[in-house]
Amino acid sequence: MQNFQHFINGQFVASASGKTFEKRSPLDNARLGLVAEGGQREVDAAVAAAKAALKGDWGKMPTDKRVAMLHAVADGITKRFDDFVAAEEADTGQPHHVIAHAFVPRGAANFKIFADIVKNVPAESFVMDTPDGAGALNYAIRKPKGVIGVISPWNAPFLLMTWKVGPALACGNTVVVKPSEETPATATLLGEVMNAVGVPPGVYNVVHGFGPDAAGEQLTRHDDVDAITFTGETRTGTAIMKAAADGIRDVSFELGGKNAGIVFADCDFDAAVEGIFRSAFMNTGQVCLGTERVYVERPLFDRFVAALKARCEAVKYGRPSDAGSNYGPLISQEHKRKVLSYYAKAVAEGANIVTGGGVPDLPGILAEGAWVQPTIWTGLPETASVVREEIFGPCCHIRPFDSEDEVVALANANRYGLSTTIWTENLKRAHRMAAAVEVGITWVNSWFLRDLRTPFGGSKQSGIGREGGVHSLEFYTDLRNVCIKL
Ligand code: NAD
Ligand code: 6OD
């Protein structure tokens, strides 16, 4: 049993109310620990600490020293790599290789890369003419925005939280993080690294708790929070945007997706099957970039469906520590109920179930966990709820198509616009398709291949703004112009 406390002003503290909530394992529903349940008092204390730190050593720190400190944070994560991996595995139950090769290393990289970007990106300047002929010089300076409220989800908790905290701190801000109530572990552990490498108190704060009418909402409504960066459901984004309207606070939103995977008959077949398998089923389908809608050019359709089915039926359920296990549970019993309700809806809507559609038969205590089968459907109209709505589970609907125009129209006929993955060996077609799909991120012959210097975010109802590279600086700094008459 582990207790997770808030991290406020460099100290681990319980809630003033003494309130806690349980964290249960997704693997077997065992109680893992108790999490301090924050409320207004903890949010007030964390925001006050973050505001004070802006005036203290952190606010006065030269950029070079701040950059070096963030490199030390990254190194501190790497030094405690096994602890971070174990913490993330306990919180999410996901396979060891996903966490150890993707999520935790990315957490460390988020500190290094944005520190380097801040150090190396020049500010713009313009020399202008003036009537007296002497001219004037304009130059821009970037200042931190202030206290950033970070609200993060549970699906890749460490990667997604540090993806915001890294650039926010690199730009000289301070942060108050409200991690998902489902995944308290890595945000808490990061507090230990912050202290170990000498990050001043108040720069990084964590308040645990729930969202609506609780710590999350209280953070987004706090007068001294200068901007809010949020990753999570589109519906939650709507609530946060309303809260941010009071005080005209800036928001950056990475929201839901119902992404299309598009497979042309000229693709590298094995690579496409493997790519779509990853995009639909990695992390048990709990990836915003996942492809719950798959469109396959008709000549390849039957072969592709059969190959993906075989791939799904070969997954190895198990604990992260079990040798060879490559498929984990959903995050919680609540999410399992949601996903299974969609599995039932698919049946009611007349789907052909190619594989899955239920709960696997697992031995012993694992039967108590949040496991569901990887599931493929065919035969549904685009109006079916499982084809239109984000499920955020290990499932996809596959539909044949006959032309580029048709598949573009199908892919775009959705309120979300986060990402697409396109599989084709025809380069001209790849360019045409990438320009035609209404999404923030297109991958061709790949998926979730990330270069942190690139813009990342969603179109339509999948988000507001872009983060990544210099785009993160746009959100996390206040860009000011200075005009000097020469
Ligand atoms: P969620 O919106 O339920 O919760 C996210 C966070 O918001 C949690 O910390 C939660 O406590 C908090 N929250 C909830 N209501 C709030 C409120 N009214 N005010 C303030 N905070 C509130 O999302 P989730 O279930 O944790 O994550 C899954 C969702 O996240 C999916 O929709 C997925 O597509 C999306 N997501 C998007 C991206 C992206 O990059 N676009 C990445 C990951 C996840
Ligand atoms: O890689 C990233 O930076 C990122 N934001 C990934 C999002 C994953 C969604 O589940």
Side-chain angles (χ1 to χ4, degrees):
M1 280 273 293
Q2 204 185 340
N3 287 332
F4 301 97
Q5 295 192 307
H6 311 295
F7 183 69
I8 300 175
N9 207 21
Q11 312 234 312
F12 289 96
V13 292
S15 288
S17 66
K19 274 176 143 182
T20 56
F21 60 93
E22 284 184 339
K23 165 65 192 165
R24 287 190 172 267
S25 169
L27 294 163
D28 55 15
N29 210 28
R31 193 160 93 159
L32 287 180
L34 291 176
V35 187
E37 182 181 337
Q40 194 67 56
R41 275 185 285 187
E42 286 70 38
V43 169
D44 287 347
V47 174
K51 196 172 174 191
L54 288 166
K55 301 255 178 279
D57 289 350
W58 180 253
K60 298 188 187 108
M61 196 177 282
T63 306
D64 271 0
K65 189 165 172 207
R66 196 168 73 233
V67 164
M69 196 162 258
L70 294 180
H71 273 254
V73 170
D75 294 342
I77 293 167
T78 307
K79 219 189 258 176
R80 297 197 55 187
F81 186 79
D82 292 346
D83 295 339
F84 277 94
V85 170
E88 192 93 325
E89 285 179 6
D91 265 357
T92 67
Q94 286 302 316
H96 178 79
H97 68 270
V98 175
I99 290 171
H101 294 138
F103 293 171
V104 171
R106 249 304 291 287
N110 284 335
F111 285 96
K112 272 198 177 145
I113 288 188
F114 289 105
D116 291 344
I117 287 172
V118 163
K119 197 172 162 183
N120 292 313
V121 168
E124 63 192 292
S125 70
F126 293 98
V127 176
M128 67 185 284
D129 294 332
T130 55
D132 66 3
L137 169 67
N138 292 276
Y139 66 91
I141 52 173
R142 289 188 183 278
K143 290 288 183 185
K145 254 185 191 154
V147 177
I148 309 290
V150 176
I151 311 265
S152 52
W154 46 257
N155 61 307
F158 190 54
L159 183 159
L160 289 168
M161 185 262 297
T162 52
W163 158 249
K164 296 172 177 306
V165 171
L169 298 190
C171 292
N173 301 284
T174 56
V175 297
V176 178
V177 179
K178 209 301 281 170
S180 168
E181 51 274 33
E182 303 290 354
T183 49
T186 44
T188 311
L189 197 51
L190 187 58
E192 293 181 21
V193 171
M194 293 286 174
N195 280 349
V197 304
V199 172
V203 171
Y204 172 77
N205 304 277
V206 178
V207 177
H208 293 294
F210 297 97
D213 298 321
E217 183 174 341
Q218 288 151 0
L219 181 61
T220 62
R221 291 198 176 279
H222 202 291
D223 284 345
D224 288 333
V225 168
D226 298 294
I228 300 159
T229 176
F230 167 69
T231 297
E233 280 193 35
T234 296
R235 205 181 35 212
T236 312
T238 305
I240 293 179
M241 202 161 173
K242 286 180 183 159
D246 285 332
I248 317 291
R249 271 90 47 75
D250 206 356
V251 293
S252 174
F253 283 171
E254 291 180 19
L255 306 176
K258 186 75 181 178
N259 313 296
I262 301 175
V263 180
F264 285 95
D266 65 7
C267 69
D268 172 337
F269 183 79
D270 291 343
V273 171
E274 193 54 29
I276 295 290
F277 175 74
R278 282 186 65 237
S279 67
F281 301 106
M282 190 189 112
N283 217 35
T284 322
Q286 303 164 117
V287 182
C288 57
L289 310 157
T291 53
E292 290 184 357
R293 297 185 291 147
V294 179
Y295 301 100
V296 180
E297 203 169 5
R298 198 174 297 276
L300 209 60
F301 184 78
D302 291 341
R303 189 173 156 223
F304 186 90
V305 171
L308 200 64
K309 173 182 192 291
R311 194 66 182 76
C312 285
E313 290 173 359
V315 299
K316 191 150 186 293
Y317 298 87
R319 295 178 185 274
S321 55
D322 292 347
S325 78
N326 59 13
Y327 182 85
L330 295 171
I331 190 69
S332 64
Q333 298 294 329
E334 187 189 339
H335 193 49
K336 178 178 172 181
R337 280 190 287 279
K338 176 184 163 187
V339 172
L340 289 178
S341 77
Y342 275 103
Y343 283 15
K345 272 186 203 171
V347 174
E349 287 172 325
N352 169 40
I353 300 172
V354 175
T355 188
V359 172
D361 190 13
L362 295 179
I365 185 80
L366 284 185
E368 307 296 318
W371 302 89
V372 296
Q373 291 174 319
T375 294
I376 300 174
W377 305 292
T378 57
L380 285 172
E382 294 296 292
T383 49
S385 56
V386 301
V387 184
R388 274 186 300 115
E389 296 168 19
E390 181 187 51
I391 301 168
F392 219 54
C395 50
C396 64
H397 177 257
I398 316 186
R399 173 189 171 128
F401 69 90
D402 295 297
S403 73
E404 253 179 65
D405 286 350
E406 181 196 3
V407 77
V408 166
L410 288 166
N412 289 344
N414 194 273
R415 70 185 178 112
Y416 294 112
L418 187 55
S419 73
T420 311
T421 167
I422 298 167
W423 295 83
T424 177
E425 293 293 291
N426 178 336
L427 196 54
K428 285 188 180 161
R429 188 203 321 262
H431 285 295
R432 272 196 308 274
M433 289 292 298
V437 285
E438 296 164 352
V439 294
I441 307 140
T442 296
W443 279 286
V444 176
N445 297 333
S446 62
W447 177 76
F448 210 162
L449 184 57
R450 294 281 289 115
D451 180 328
L452 301 189
R453 296 167 300 181
T454 60
F456 184 98
S459 303
K460 303 202 282 193
Q461 290 185 31
S462 286
I464 294 184
R466 295 290 181 270
E467 296 193 35
V470 292
H471 308 283
S472 292
L473 307 197
E474 297 303 331
F475 179 70
Y476 292 107
T477 60
D478 195 26
L479 187 61
R480 302 175 187 171
N481 190 64
V482 179
C483 177
I484 301 182
K485 174 74 177 65
L486 300 174

